[in-house]
Amino acid sequence: MTDGQRQYGPLGSTLVIIPTYNEAENIKPIVSRVRSAVPEAHVLIADDNSPDGTGKLADELAAADGQVHVLHREGKEGLGAAYLAGFRWGIEHGHGVLVEMDADGSHQPEELPRLLTALKGADLVLGSRWVPGGRVVNWPKHREFLSRGGSTYSRVMLDVPIRDVTGGFRAFRVETLEGLGLNEVASQGYCFQVDLARRAVQAGYHVVEVPITFVERELGDSKMNRDIVVEALWRITAWGVGSKVSKIRGR
């Protein structure tokens, strides 16, 4: 498949990265669903030393299935740090596609094959709640407002043509990640996804959005909090202002 004159190569093996912190109730069901949805894929559970025993459960899953792996991290350092560690692990182990996916079931593994199909003609595929066909289930209105507002603000400030800039269900070609300057990424929770999306657009990569159904978690606690939102707001504002100033100076 091509994007303009570009010829895309084969995808290679897929690694689904699932960061965890206190996801003991969710980890076994979500891994089982991933393995059923994409049997050829490998799974990497990146656990931030969960006090509820998630890491031990992950080890049990890995012991029973050669395509499940565990990356034990020293402590809770944020979503961004967990994904960056997972990306490095995936690159070192020769995977061609790296997928971001939540552990709580909000990202439905059954939709992953559609993202991987779209990636055959793209550099990065985003599972999107805010394109036609996308939707959210069981979300309170304030969460939907926050997510829609965050994506709109990010799109306007950063001038990126993406409807769901903050979404975290994504499939990357490994060469795309290698071209994003991951060593320079310092953002964590909510704005980590925004950071990678803006870097992909700025680098000229072909980004495709595929509609998904996002389902609110039924078990465990959400990791979203005020500090994560505040970090996102000031970082996105700083990136946007910096970009606009650079454009003005370059005229």
Side-chain angles (χ1 to χ4, degrees):
M1 297 180 68
T2 60
D3 169 33
Q5 297 301 311
R6 177 172 176 186
Q7 183 72 39
Y8 285 93
L11 294 177
S13 62
T14 297
L15 177 70
V16 180
I17 303 168
I18 304 178
T20 56
Y21 185 77
N22 287 348
E23 296 288 358
E25 297 172 296
N26 292 311
I27 191 58
K28 286 187 175 181
I30 199 65
V31 169
S32 176
R33 289 172 64 189
V34 172
R35 295 289 290 115
S36 295
V38 279
E40 70 282 4
H42 287 248
V43 177
L44 176 66
I45 303 165
D47 184 64
D48 278 4
N49 197 21
S50 300
D52 72 344
T54 301
K56 181 176 182 296
L57 294 174
D59 284 337
E60 293 173 2
L61 291 170
D65 186 341
Q67 286 176 237
V68 177
H69 316 275
V70 186
L71 178 61
H72 290 284
R73 292 163 42 75
E74 292 185 359
K76 193 173 187 295
E77 298 178 12
L79 184 70
Y83 272 130
L84 290 173
F87 292 157
R88 287 191 290 269
W89 192 97
I91 292 170
E92 289 170 1
H93 287 79
H95 292 284
V97 175
L98 302 182
V99 175
E100 297 181 0
M101 177 181 285
D102 286 350
D104 60 14
S106 57
H107 300 148
Q108 299 187 83
E110 295 75 17
E111 296 185 313
L112 182 53
R114 291 194 294 111
L115 272 68
L116 295 176
T117 296
L119 193 62
K120 293 178 181 179
D123 298 297
L124 164 61
V125 174
L126 311 180
S128 179
R129 298 159 290 186
W130 312 130
V131 295
R135 66 191 185 107
V136 297
V137 176
N138 297 331
W139 246 16
K141 284 297 181 182
H142 75 274
R143 284 291 304 277
E144 182 172 346
F145 175 80
L146 179 63
S147 180
R148 283 185 180 273
S151 281
T152 299
Y153 183 72
S154 300
R155 187 168 64 251
V156 172
M157 285 297 295
L158 304 177
D159 193 26
V160 292
I162 299 173
R163 302 294 300 178
D164 193 349
V165 190
T166 63
F169 192 13
R170 303 178 169 193
F172 296 84
R173 286 178 177 266
V174 70
E175 55 266 32
T176 303
L177 280 170
E178 291 175 327
L180 294 184
L182 295 182
N183 290 336
E184 302 169 4
V185 175
S187 48
Q188 294 300 320
Y190 194 64
C191 66
F192 174 77
Q193 310 296 4
V194 179
D195 196 358
L196 294 193
R198 77 179 181 100
R199 287 171 182 267
V201 171
Q202 290 172 353
Y205 288 119
H206 181 44
V207 181
V208 172
E209 291 186 87
V210 171
I212 62 167
T213 297
F214 182 97
V215 182
E216 174 68 335
R217 69 160 64 228
E218 294 182 357
L219 301 172
D221 298 320
S222 172
K223 308 304 186 295
M224 181 65 69
N225 59 46
R226 181 178 178 276
D227 289 344
I228 291 174
V229 175
V230 170
E231 182 209 11
L233 182 61
W234 78 257
R235 281 191 184 273
I236 292 166
T237 302
W239 291 331
V241 171
S243 176
K244 294 179 190 315
V245 168
S246 295
K247 288 180 180 178
I248 292 172
R249 287 177 174 174
R251 288 176 182 173

